Amino acid sequence: MTKPPKTNAASLKESAIFFKNALLKPKEVGYILPSSRYLIRRIAEVAELASKKHAVELGPGTGGTTRGFLTALPADGKLIAIDVNEQFILHLQKDIHDPRLILCHDSAERLPEILQESGWPHCDVVISGIPFSTLPDGIGQAVMQSIYDSLCDGGTFVAYQLRDHVSRLATPIFGQPVFKKKEVRNFPPMRLFVWQK
Ligand SMILES: C[S@@+](CC[C@H](N)C(=O)[O-])C[C@H]1O[C@@H](n2cnc3c(N)ncnc32)[C@H](O)[C@@H]1O
């Protein structure tokens, strides 16, 4: 199952891996530091993970969010975590040993195919930290459509973002967000959005 909280040295090492990859791939990683525990807790709450069986995380990075989401999920819940960055996936494979976690080195646009390959007809919730404002042209729209197509009716899409560019992509498909708030106990402060299908 999920490991206990990290020691300071382990957290520092994880932040260093994140920072290095943020410098190498700034548009893909988006920020220079992983999410704070306050932001992670807030995301798990608004996503109502405690009652979800089939959850998806887009952009787990070095896994602080992933560990938080696994803690919140029920014992019979499952989490598929998808990241385009191979270094992050290799780190997660070594670091998190939880039978409820399925790791995929892939791109979020392929979410419907990934669910199909995993034998999931749909998912209950998608949580995304992908920096939508810096994705190449067309990719953001494709990812958004994939998220919508993959969610069950009534399913939840949660995005935590520096900017509100994600609204321009999500609102035409999902309608207005059902929740919108800024979490200031994170560097940088992060906007949280929730849409319902
Ligand atoms: C801001 S980081 C979030 C990391 C982590 N969840 C956190 O909050 O600390 C964004 C992540 O999205 C990933 N990413 C960017 N574009 C992606 C795509 N098209 N498909 C899947 N992951 C992507 C990056 O590699 C990175 O790990």
Side-chain angles (χ1 to χ4, degrees), residues 132-134 137 140-141 144-145 157 159 161 163-177 180 191 193 195:
F132 282 98
S133 57
T134 53
D137 277 354
Q141 283 93 336
M144 199 55 69
Q145 193 60 54
F157 169 45
Q161 301 281 301
R163 301 186 181 82
D164 70 0
H165 181 86
V166 67
S167 296
R168 280 186 241 162
L169 300 170
T171 304
I173 303 178
F174 281 92
Q176 291 299 321
K180 199 171 155 181
R191 292 163 205 260
F193 301 86
W195 280 273

Side-chain angles (χ1 to χ4, degrees), residues 11-196:
S11 301
L12 212 60
K13 188 176 162 213
E14 197 162 284
S15 294
I17 297 171
F18 193 94
F19 184 66
K20 185 178 143 203
N21 279 276
L23 293 183
L24 288 171
K25 300 183 174 187
K27 291 192 173 179
E28 227 173 73
V29 178
Y31 325 116
I32 55 167
L33 286 175
S35 293
S36 71
R37 64 179 189 276
Y38 304 103
L39 175 61
I40 295 170
R41 206 177 302 142
R42 181 61 74 92
I43 299 167
E45 274 166 22
V46 299
E48 298 180 346
L49 283 177
S51 63
K52 306 291 190 219
K53 295 280 166 67
H54 293 93
V56 170
E57 177 179 20
L58 304 177
T62 45
T65 41
T66 316
R67 278 190 296 275
F69 301 161
L70 286 166
T71 302
L73 270 180
D76 60 348
K78 292 258 181 212
L79 176 68
I80 294 182
I82 303 165
D83 206 297
V84 274
N85 186 315
E86 192 177 14
Q87 294 308 311
F88 287 154
I89 292 293
L90 290 172
H91 169 76
L92 296 175
Q93 281 168 349
K94 276 192 238 146
D95 200 58
I96 306 183
H97 303 282
D98 188 316
R100 297 171 300 164
L101 177 65
I102 300 160
L103 291 167
C104 297
H105 174 220
D106 212 322
S107 185
E109 303 106 275
R110 283 212 342 107
L111 180 57
E113 290 84 359
I114 294 168
L115 291 194
Q116 204 174 29
E117 287 155 19
S118 308
W120 293 17
H122 290 287
C123 55
D124 306 318
V125 58
V126 176
I127 302 173
S128 178
I130 292 177
F132 282 98
S133 57
T134 53
L135 292 182
D137 277 354
I139 301 287
Q141 283 93 336
V143 171
M144 199 55 69
Q145 193 60 54
S146 291
I147 293 171
Y148 187 84
D149 294 343
S150 301
L151 280 168
C152 62
D153 288 340
T156 307
F157 169 45
V158 179
Y160 53 103
Q161 301 281 301
L162 184 57
R163 301 186 181 82
D164 70 0
H165 181 86
V166 67
S167 296
R168 280 186 241 162
L169 300 170
T171 304
I173 303 178
F174 281 92
Q176 291 299 321
V178 294
F179 177 90
K180 199 171 155 181
K181 205 170 175 114
K182 205 178 227 184
E183 175 55 69
V184 294
R185 291 172 299 172
N186 189 71
F187 183 79
M190 207 56 77
R191 292 163 205 260
L192 256 175
F193 301 86
V194 181
W195 280 273
Q196 212 108 43

